[in-house]
Amino acid sequence: MKKRALWTIVGLVSLGLVLAGGSAVSAKTIKVGIVDCYSGPPSTYTNDVRDAFQLAVDQFNAQGGVLGNTIEFVTRDSKFKVDIGLSAAKELLLRENVDILMGTINSSLALAISDLSLKEKVPFIATFSKSAKITGAKGNRYVFSMTENTALAGKAAAHGLAKRPYTTYWIAGDDYEYGHAIADGVWENLKQLKPDVKLLGESWWKVGEPDFTPYITSILAAKPDAVIVATGGRDCVPFLKAAKATGFNDKVPFYMHTATELSTLKPLGLDAPEGVIGTSNYFFYYPQTPANEAFVKEFEAAYNRKPAVGALYGFMTAHFIKQAYEKAGSTDTEKFIDALEGMVIDTPVGKVEMRAYDHQAMLPMYMGVTKKMPGYDFLVATDIVTISGAEAMPSVESIRKARGE
Amino acid sequence: MEFAANITAAALFQQILVGLSRTTILFIVSSGLSLVLGVLRIPNIAHGSLYMIGAFMTWSIATVVGGSPAAFWLALAFAPLAVALVSFVVERGIFCRLYDREHLMLLLFTFSLTLVFNDLVKLIWGSDYRSLNAPDFLQGSFSIFGLPFPRYNLFLLLTGPLVALGLWLLTNRTKIGKIARAAAVDREMVSAVGINVSWVFAWVFVIGCYLAGLGGALVAPTQNITQGMDHAIIIEAFLIVIIGGLGNIWGALLGALIFGLTDAIGILVWPQFAIVFPYTAVVIVLVFRPKGLLKSVW
């Protein structure tokens, strides 16, 4: 009697173990937690990241997932606030048990989550924050960046501008971190590439400046050869409007980092100014490669709109994640990071390397000029010059220096 | 850097003109705020929200009517009226029951209105920004002494005096204007002679809010129509009303001139630190005239 009871218990326990073990294997998912701003104007950019990520993840899962695991993701709205975003990231780690954190268009939040990811030893992939500090001075083993940053854009723009015949410049921009970072980035590099450039003056306005006309008219009075406009986000559209109204673009050529991006040009329709020089990581119409055409077709079929630059970041992130796990051969975090370092993958913009030292994706940068083109009800970039990732990236030496190593 | 190499007589003249067109918007919005403040004694923080709603309404009407040049004029005519209607509902529905309460309560109430309006805008128009274009003949610029001046700014320059004239006629030549001025001075006396002060207040509130909507409609083609445009304008409008003299419409005109011109000239003279110019002007005025430049009705 006693023996029989014992055998029953042993039987039940072993059955339980087998069942539990079996379910653990079959139900294993790789979970990604995305924290980003999905309310307010920044959502114009962030929705594309999320949607393209979704597109890629659906494709992976349909093909049997990654190492036999399905990828799943959850999103949280940071409302562009650091405290809300950071607590959302903590919640994702504690309650949702995510394997990877991703997101944020807000640079301050990206830096905060980067600190958290280092502490919790969970990889964090920054998808749209433009601060060079993320993979520069404040970089760490767990943080990766899938987007260009102010250092990269500045260097790329300087390369493009140095080839043009301008010598006297005026700098104007948003009086906050992004504006100054991008202006310094362009100017420092431009001075090195072309020592005879001269700065006539600078104008700085507050973020959300309601009227740019007085700034533009005062710059025109100074008659520079070209102007570097360091403004971003929601100020781009009103600035371009004021530029059009004053005929700024006809009188003096100006460079504005995000001027050629779809998210900037689409709301303006055909009334955007022509001849504005801008830089971007991606256009749905450039590069004209089969890989990009296929991506645009898939994205359009799924969401009924053209992919903007954010879509590249989201799509690329999903592919990097998948291929890094496959290269690592396991879902172990440390092995995943080792695999991701230095990895090269095919993307809609060609081969992109994840630089091993600073975890910055080496994206090519396209410098183009806005122009009306038949077939589009908004302006597009033409005369595109490609500045390769290797040219645009700040050197490993300079990153080492910034980190005080 | 050659300090301010760009200051020439032509540039200064043109900068003053640009500053005056900005003044127009500031004056229209802050005169409405000042009117409500003077007669109803309400510091209406929601004034900025009505300005924002005016801009969104302009966009909606112009978009619904379609791209014809008449669309913009229709929008300019009807969007402020729509804002006035909203304010009428709010005044008759809620405000008129609160006039006996103390000022702090009213202030808190208008603050809560800004939150409600903000969410309403988010519900109706979403969080994307909108952009609207002026009719063709108001686009582009013409040249003054070799420097460009946008045509739309000229249009604003012409609108400003018209609005000022309209306000003057309203307050000095109409019955309701006279009653409103009397009610501002002595509310009890006005009701003692048999006038329904409550309805006078309603009209004044609606006119004040109409001006906020008009300001929003006029800026719609020059900037992003977006959430947050209410914060920027309400701070400037309050500063203007304070330096001009609380509740004094002509004080609002004077304040708007000071604010608009110091801003534009500051940008020409010292562009790196242009942001501080208008605020410095405010501080200087308040140091010498703590109650504002013109007579405050408070």
Side-chain angles (χ1 to χ4, degrees), chain B residues 35-158:
Chain B
L35 193 67
V36 174
L37 196 59
V39 179
L40 280 75
R41 305 290 162 94
I42 299 173
N44 183 13
I45 300 176
H47 201 70
S49 310
L50 294 162
Y51 162 88
M52 173 169 69
I53 292 172
F56 272 104
M57 288 273 190
T58 309
W59 178 84
S60 284
I61 295 173
T63 315
V64 167
V65 177
S68 73
F72 174 72
W73 300 110
L74 272 175
L76 199 57
F78 285 102
L81 288 176
V83 171
L85 187 70
V86 170
S87 68
F88 180 76
V89 172
V90 170
E91 204 279 342
R92 283 294 96 183
I94 313 169
F95 251 132
C96 66
R97 299 161 209 279
L98 298 173
Y99 289 133
D100 306 334
R101 305 287 179 88
E102 51 184 308
H103 276 132
L104 189 62
M105 292 297 289
L106 289 171
L107 189 75
L108 283 175
F109 177 69
T110 62
F111 178 69
S112 65
L113 270 184
T114 63
L115 302 176
V116 173
F117 281 141
N118 223 351
D119 275 1
L120 274 180
V121 166
K122 208 192 260 180
L123 274 177
I124 299 171
W125 287 283
S127 49
D128 288 353
Y129 36 65
R130 312 285 176 178
S131 180
L132 178 73
N133 291 306
D136 283 344
F137 77 99
L138 286 178
Q139 289 188 21
S141 62
F142 58 90
S143 174
I144 298 179
F145 302 128
L147 290 167
F149 186 68
R151 290 199 188 131
Y152 194 80
N153 286 47
L154 182 72
F155 166 67
L156 290 179
L157 274 184
L158 299 175

Side-chain angles (χ1 to χ4, degrees), chain A residues 40 202 214 217-218 234 241 245 271, chain B residues 6 15 131-133 140 224 271:
Chain A
E202 296 169 55
T217 49
S218 79
R234 68 175 221 194
K241 270 186 154 180
D271 289 291
Chain B
N6 51 338
Q15 205 68 8
S131 180
L132 178 73
N133 291 306
N224 265 346

Side-chain angles (χ1 to χ4, degrees), chain A residues 54-70:
Chain A
Q54 168 102 57
L55 180 71
V57 164
D58 287 349
Q59 287 170 352
F60 301 157
N61 289 341
Q63 291 158 10
V66 177
L67 301 173
N69 307 310
T70 50

